[in-house]
Amino acid sequence: MKNKVSGGLSNMDAGNRLTALSLLLSAVLSPGLCIISPAEIDPLLYEEQLLWVSGAQGQVNTYRIPLLTFTPEGSLLAFAEGRKSSASDVGAKFIAVRRSTDKGATWSPTSFIIDDGLQPDGLNLGSVVVDEEVGSVILIYSICFHQYLCSPSSTMMVESTDDGLSWSPPRNLTEQLGAKIFVAGPGFGIQKRYSPAKGRLVVCGHGTIEGDGVFCILSDDHGRNWYNGAALKSIPYNQKKKPQDFNPDECQPVEMKDGSIVINVRNQNNYHCRCRVVVRSYDGGLSLPIDNLFFDYALVDPVVAAGALQKDGVLYFTNPSNDQHRINLTLRWSLTNGTSWENKAVQIWAGPSGYSCITSLDSGSPEDRKYIFVIYEKGHKDYDETVSFAKIHLYGGR
Ligand SMILES: *[C@@H]1O[C@H](CO)[C@@H](O)[C@H](O)[C@H]1NC(C)=O
Ligand SMILES: *[C@@H]1O[C@H](CO)[C@@H](O)[C@H](O)[C@H]1NC(C)=O
Ligand SMILES: *[C@@H]1O[C@H](CO)[C@@H](O)[C@H](O)[C@H]1NC(C)=O
């Protein structure tokens, strides 16, 4: 905690000096109680490391679609698709995982937790959701999402109850959800921490081609049973789209402190603006009324999956901040629940950059309050060259 002092102490009156002294003393005597205010947020890229490099690791051609989450035990888990033979969205893939138990300083070697074999249209990520009430981590992914030389499309789930070390066999959720062309996220799902529907798991994603839109699947029993919740359908629904049609696509939900869920959405056909669509659910993900939808002109976007996080009352957002190209990966933050954004955005990477996902640790310790973590697609010529992990010090810039 630093006071800005211009011209030295001589300009300060006795009252100010006393305040400065007591602030200094309280900071020195009880660092654990020194809560930095959100107004002092001034993020600094603190350290960064590449978790995956495309083309350089054996059986994988391209790593894409990075997800990042905290775990109930305070570890970090990073996931990505390991695309076996090309950079294409279709084709056979692994789900790659790395794990950090020291707040992102070091990472386990890559393990492949799912291998879809030789499928022409294999798996797609996906959302990771942490159930803090029972201490589990759930990963939702799809098989045959594009229905390229395969059918039907399936929504699948795997679960870890040991902090991401081992994973259950895949479960096919088609029986519970019905036949559905759906891919979650990509990003994280949430467990509701506040009412309504405290404890509910909410995973939102999108449909495909004609049947696109934002759809949420919900579970009120820690992932045993899933059912279909809110739908925000594209227009015209189930019909071929034209440029500038309303076509909400990949999305990231976050829970706000009033218990509402704000979903930040990819605006696939640039309806109304080259910017993000934002829609809000006040009933725990059961509905997404059009009355609660707006276009966030400040969040200029090249049509991409973006990252969002609500931490200690501050809303964070990452995307390649450019209306044409996937370059300029930028972190923004809002002190007003997303109704406005601070002017001082922080550039994480100027060059090619694509999908991103944000998380943070939340033990309540002063240390954990200071950092957020961003995983994103990063390259020099193309954004899919590497997947990078960035540790951001929220108060590091001052
Ligand atoms: C999931 O279950 C449905 C319905 O039984 C089935 O048609 C589909 O092939 C299954 N998907 C996978 C990947 O096993
Ligand atoms: C990068 O993003 C910032 C913040 O949105 C913006 O002001 C700047 O013009 C962008 N630069 C490029 C090259 O897109
Ligand atoms: C943001 O939302 C919280 C929770 O509803 C509320 O207490 C706070 O006043 C809001 N902040 C602003 C600036 O609107």
Side-chain angles (χ1 to χ4, degrees), residues 106-129:
T106 61
W107 293 83
S108 72
T110 296
S111 56
F112 295 131
I113 58 168
I114 306 288
D115 178 352
D116 61 16
L118 296 168
Q119 298 201 33
D121 186 10
L123 63 87
N124 283 101
L125 285 173
S127 286
V128 56
V129 54

Side-chain angles (χ1 to χ4, degrees), residues 259-278:
S260 67
I261 302 169
V262 168
I263 309 184
N264 195 293
V265 185
R266 168 171 170 161
N267 187 2
Q268 183 66 25
N269 290 30
N270 293 311
Y271 178 80
H272 197 74
C273 65
R274 290 183 173 268
C275 71
R276 306 293 296 180
V277 178
V278 179

Side-chain angles (χ1 to χ4, degrees), residues 143 151-152 154 156 172 174-175:
I143 295 278
S151 154
S154 311
M156 311 294 288
N172 184 343
T174 300
E175 219 161 280

Side-chain angles (χ1 to χ4, degrees), residues 84-371:
K84 294 181 191 175
S85 56
S86 78
S88 166
D89 291 346
V90 299
K93 306 176 197 77
F94 300 103
I95 294 178
V97 180
R98 296 186 71 177
R99 178 169 173 269
S100 174
T101 53
D102 55 10
K103 302 178 192 286
T106 61
W107 293 83
S108 72
T110 296
S111 56
F112 295 131
I113 58 168
I114 306 288
D115 178 352
D116 61 16
L118 296 168
Q119 298 201 33
D121 186 10
L123 63 87
N124 283 101
L125 285 173
S127 286
V128 56
V129 54
V130 173
D131 189 321
E132 292 179 286
E133 293 181 1
V134 299
S136 66
V137 181
I138 289 170
L139 188 66
I140 306 282
Y141 63 97
S142 308
I143 295 278
C144 183
F145 174 66
H146 310 87
Q147 305 202 288
Y148 172 69
L149 301 178
C150 60
S151 154
S153 181
S154 311
T155 304
M156 311 294 288
M157 160 181 161
V158 287
E159 182 174 20
S160 173
T161 53
D162 59 3
D163 203 44
L165 283 171
S166 68
W167 295 84
S168 69
R171 251 181 68 201
N172 184 343
L173 302 183
T174 300
E175 219 161 280
Q176 292 175 1
L177 295 173
K180 194 176 169 74
I181 305 177
F182 173 74
V183 67
F188 57 81
I190 57 173
Q191 179 172 50
K192 294 280 281 109
R193 287 181 177 168
Y194 310 102
S195 68
K198 190 173 178 298
R200 175 178 292 166
L201 304 181
V202 180
V203 170
C204 301
H206 75 105
T208 193
I209 323 291
E210 288 88 349
D212 210 352
V214 166
F215 303 90
C216 299
I217 61 173
L218 314 175
S219 174
D220 292 324
D221 57 5
H222 311 291
R224 265 188 296 281
N225 291 285
W226 292 87
Y227 59 98
N228 291 301
L232 173 69
K233 292 179 172 176
S234 58
I235 304 172
Y237 188 62
N238 265 337
Q239 294 164 53
K240 272 222 156 57
K241 298 293 187 296
K242 292 181 185 164
Q244 276 91 53
D245 277 349
F246 181 64
N247 197 3
D249 194 79
E250 294 173 316
C251 62
Q252 176 60 68
V254 297
E255 183 175 26
M256 306 304 285
K257 288 199 151 177
D258 66 356
S260 67
I261 302 169
V262 168
I263 309 184
N264 195 293
V265 185
R266 168 171 170 161
N267 187 2
Q268 183 66 25
N269 290 30
N270 293 311
Y271 178 80
H272 197 74
C273 65
R274 290 183 173 268
C275 71
R276 306 293 296 180
V277 178
V278 179
V279 63
R280 194 163 186 165
S281 174
Y282 286 95
D283 56 9
L286 290 170
S287 72
L288 289 169
I290 212 90
D291 317 41
N292 302 342
L293 182 148
F294 68 96
F295 296 86
D296 195 331
Y297 303 111
L299 302 183
V300 164
D301 192 68
V303 183
V304 73
L309 180 76
Q310 190 271 118
K311 179 181 172 70
D312 295 331
V314 180
L315 188 61
Y316 297 91
F317 176 80
T318 51
N319 77 336
S321 182
N322 183 283
D323 70 359
Q324 304 288 337
H325 306 291
R326 291 181 177 179
I327 57 169
N328 194 32
L329 204 280
T330 300
L331 171 69
R332 312 197 67 138
W333 61 101
S334 169
L335 309 180
T336 59
N337 303 318
T339 56
S340 64
W341 297 88
E342 296 297 292
N343 282 329
K344 195 180 172 192
V346 168
Q347 186 183 65
I348 296 177
W349 179 244
S353 35
Y355 287 23
S356 57
C357 183
I358 320 175
T359 196
S360 75
L361 295 169
D362 198 12
S363 68
S365 73
E367 190 66 6
D368 284 350
R369 298 182 79 110
K370 287 186 205 157
Y371 297 99

